[in-house]
Amino acid sequence: MPRRNRPSSSRASTSLRQLLDNLDNDQRRSQDLLVSLVFALRNFTNLHRFLELVPVVVSRLVGVDGALIVPFQPDGRVWRDQLQAVPVEPSQDLFRCLIGFQPGESAGFGTDDDQVLALDRLIQCCLPKAGLFATSVVVRGRCRGRLYVFDLSSRIVWTDAHRRHAQLVADLAGVAIENDQMFRDARRHERVDRQLSTGAEIQAQLLPDHCPIIKGVDLAARCRPAFQVGGDYYDFIPMQPELIGRRRECGRWALVMGDVMGKGIAAGLLMTMLRGMLRAEVLSGLPPDRILHDLNQLAQEDLAQSRRFVTLFYSDFDPLTYRLRYANAAHNPPLLWCYKRKSISRLDAAGLLIGLQPEANYSLSEIYLAPGDVLLYYTDGVTEASSLTGDRFGEARLIRALRRICRSGGRSQVILDTLFERLDQFVGANRQPEDDASMVVLKVPEAIALSNMLV
């Protein structure tokens, strides 16, 4: 008996060794397939090429005839351009069914469990005799597709190993889909950033890059947008642009400060449009109230369509007489430091927002500046700036800061820089401003001889 059992034991040992060898080979083959898919995930930047590999790898891992991946777009619709399946020829009927599947065209399809179940039934109807296993492609808790593994010839038994392999491939497909979405978002943001940078460059070129030389006054100006492109606007416009050199310095100038309601690109575009209209109006030589009246009529249609309005303070200055005429379209009234009286007053005049109604009238006022006087034009981004506690900088705080600075003397640039320093201290270091902030400082130096002025 023992002798008869030896051949049988030997055959059993050989079969066991072969089985173990086959298992080892299967494991190595599975590992190689998964490694190749991970390598493709790391190196492919084309989602379509990666998804082509998914059905091939998963069908070989599980040892079945075919596989199908149905990705969903970010809005949940079936991503028809990215459908992939093997074998290719028999899968054409599957593709036709999926392309004609109307519910898959609806946004939110992939997030509706009932709709996804209807998709599973559709696939099963297209493969009536096949053994079918399905799993979801999940990314950050959202279903971004379905992976189907099927055998056309028989109803195979799905082992835990088969399910793990299929799910692992589905997870890798989810990573690829997410990477593609992030890559698309990054490229879109890059395009937007480039457009914003271009817009910011254009706007920076439209705002004066330096203050002009105007006889008898010292100027300083700065615009600090909350975003790359802002809606604040200031300008110095010669009313006789044909003059050059000293004659231009002694000629009349328009000094303007405005603000388009809103922020960002839309406000910047409207500001650019307004600038062109205003510069054309200045050439007419009309007084400030007529300039604002005509500008309001010209800009009415464009502003009405955008549902935005513009505040604008317009003034013209004559260096020979030191007379400043002005009109106001509901802008923050500039602050005037009177050197002689050591007090601050507001330059205001009645007038509606630009673009509010077609027929709007504006009041005209005028003053004569004296040596030592300081005029501060500003936008509401200065007074509306908030601190960490939520308090507003406010006009009263701006008046107190301007009074202290003017009493200390100094040129217009020193006054401007100190005001922005006070504003930054109030808002807090490294905080993103909520609105554009612009200021223009005009000062009549104390050294100007009274005999040269008309008072």
Side-chain angles (χ1 to χ4, degrees):
M1 290 292 296
R3 290 183 179 178
R4 288 182 201 155
N5 287 339
R6 282 197 196 101
S8 176
S9 299
S10 177
R11 285 194 298 273
S13 297
T14 302
S15 297
L16 180 60
R17 280 196 301 272
Q18 290 175 344
L19 178 61
L20 292 173
D21 288 342
N22 289 336
L23 288 174
D24 288 341
N25 290 334
D26 288 343
Q27 288 180 346
R28 282 194 294 270
R29 183 175 61 86
S30 297
Q31 289 175 355
D32 290 343
L33 286 168
L34 290 172
V35 167
S36 66
L37 194 62
V38 172
F39 177 82
L41 178 63
R42 291 175 55 190
N43 292 276
F44 282 13
T45 57
N46 187 316
L47 178 64
H48 190 81
R49 290 183 60 196
F50 179 83
L51 293 182
E52 283 180 335
L53 293 177
V54 169
V56 176
V57 171
V58 74
S59 61
R60 291 183 181 177
L61 278 172
V62 179
V64 294
D65 296 332
L68 165 71
I69 185 166
V70 182
F72 301 150
Q73 297 187 53
D75 64 358
R77 291 179 296 147
V78 171
W79 203 344
R80 289 181 168 86
D81 293 341
Q82 298 290 2
L83 295 172
Q84 298 293 341
V86 291
V88 176
E89 288 302 325
S91 299
Q92 296 306 312
D93 291 338
L94 271 175
F95 288 160
R96 280 192 287 270
C97 289
L98 288 168
I99 291 172
F101 185 52
Q102 292 300 319
E105 296 181 1
S106 303
F109 169 85
T111 59
D112 188 328
D113 292 341
D114 291 337
Q115 296 280 37
V116 173
L117 187 59
L119 177 65
D120 292 348
R121 288 196 293 265
L122 174 70
I123 301 300
Q124 185 68 77
C125 288
C126 293
L127 303 168
K129 298 181 179 180
L132 182 68
F133 171 73
T135 188
S136 290
V137 178
V138 179
V139 181
R140 295 185 180 181
R142 289 182 58 212
C143 183
R144 293 299 303 274
R146 292 286 279 174
L147 177 63
Y148 300 93
V149 185
F150 54 86
D151 192 272
L152 297 171
S153 58
S154 65
R155 302 187 64 83
I156 65 171
V157 178
W158 300 99
T159 66
D160 288 341
H162 292 156
R163 297 176 189 278
R164 285 197 299 271
H165 284 147
Q167 190 59 59
L168 181 56
V169 173
D171 291 343
L172 290 174
V175 173
I177 292 171
E178 179 69 6
N179 286 349
D180 180 76
Q181 185 63 43
M182 293 173 64
F183 183 65
R184 289 171 184 269
D185 290 343
R187 284 192 299 183
R188 185 170 61 253
H189 291 157
E190 287 174 3
R191 288 195 296 269
V192 171
D193 287 342
R194 284 196 297 269
Q195 291 171 0
L196 285 173
S197 297
T198 302
E201 290 174 7
I202 293 172
Q203 186 176 13
Q205 292 170 2
L206 294 176
L207 290 174
D209 56 358
H210 65 278
C211 295
I213 298 174
I214 301 177
K215 180 180 180 295
V217 295
D218 180 30
L219 288 168
R222 185 189 307 173
C223 174
R224 188 167 62 189
F227 299 90
Q228 284 183 280
V229 182
D232 278 10
Y233 167 59
Y234 68 84
D235 212 346
F236 312 105
I237 311 169
M239 301 185 72
Q240 293 177 282
E242 70 278 6
L243 300 179
I244 59 174
R246 292 284 298 176
R247 295 180 63 195
R248 173 177 284 203
E249 294 174 17
C250 296
R252 290 166 58 207
W253 285 78
L255 293 86
V256 187
M257 176 67 78
D259 184 6
V260 176
M261 290 186 175
K263 309 177 187 71
I265 296 176
L269 290 172
L270 286 173
M271 184 276 284
T272 304
M273 174 201 73
L274 187 75
R275 175 188 182 271
M277 291 181 177
L278 181 59
R279 283 189 158 245
E281 279 296 305
V282 168
L283 297 178
S284 68
L286 293 171
D289 57 328
R290 290 299 306 171
I291 294 286
L292 291 187
H293 175 272
D294 294 348
L295 181 65
N296 177 66
Q297 290 189 320
L298 286 171
Q300 189 67 221
E301 182 176 351
D302 292 320
L303 291 174
Q305 289 179 353
S306 67
R307 293 187 175 89
R308 294 175 185 266
F309 306 105
V310 177
T311 68
L312 190 71
F313 186 92
Y314 179 91
S315 59
D316 62 34
F317 176 69
D318 186 349
L320 299 180
T321 63
Y322 286 81
R323 182 180 69 171
L324 184 88
R325 300 187 302 174
Y326 60 90
N328 193 4
H331 191 75
N332 301 80
L335 301 176
L336 174 65
W337 162 258
C338 180
Y339 179 77
K340 185 177 181 179
R341 294 194 301 269
K342 300 295 188 288
S343 64
I344 291 179
S345 59
R346 303 160 79 241
L347 298 188
D348 203 0
L352 296 175
L353 295 161
I354 301 293
L356 186 61
Q357 64 181 44
E359 285 298 330
N361 294 316
Y362 299 89
S363 298
L364 175 67
S365 299
E366 64 178 44
I367 59 168
Y368 287 89
L369 300 177
D373 287 353
V374 175
L375 186 57
L376 172 66
Y377 302 77
Y378 66 95
T379 59
D380 61 4
V382 176
T383 50
E384 294 297 313
S386 61
S387 66
L388 288 169
T389 61
D391 294 332
R392 300 292 180 182
F393 191 71
E395 186 186 58
R397 189 176 275 106
L398 179 61
I399 289 174
R400 289 196 298 271
L402 180 62
R403 182 184 292 115
R404 284 194 295 269
I405 298 167
C406 289
R407 282 175 175 169
S408 302
R411 299 192 54 159
S412 59
Q413 189 64 53
V414 174
I415 297 172
L416 181 72
D417 292 342
T418 308
L419 285 173
F420 267 108
E421 288 172 7
R422 299 281 173 85
L423 182 64
D424 292 339
Q425 290 170 5
F426 175 81
V427 171
N430 302 319
R431 287 189 65 213
Q432 175 68 31
E434 297 176 1
D435 198 1
D436 312 327
S438 300
M439 287 189 271
V440 173
V441 177
L442 179 150
K443 180 175 182 178
V444 181
E446 293 86 345
I448 295 293
L450 286 174
S451 59
N452 293 334
M453 302 183 63
L454 190 156
V455 288

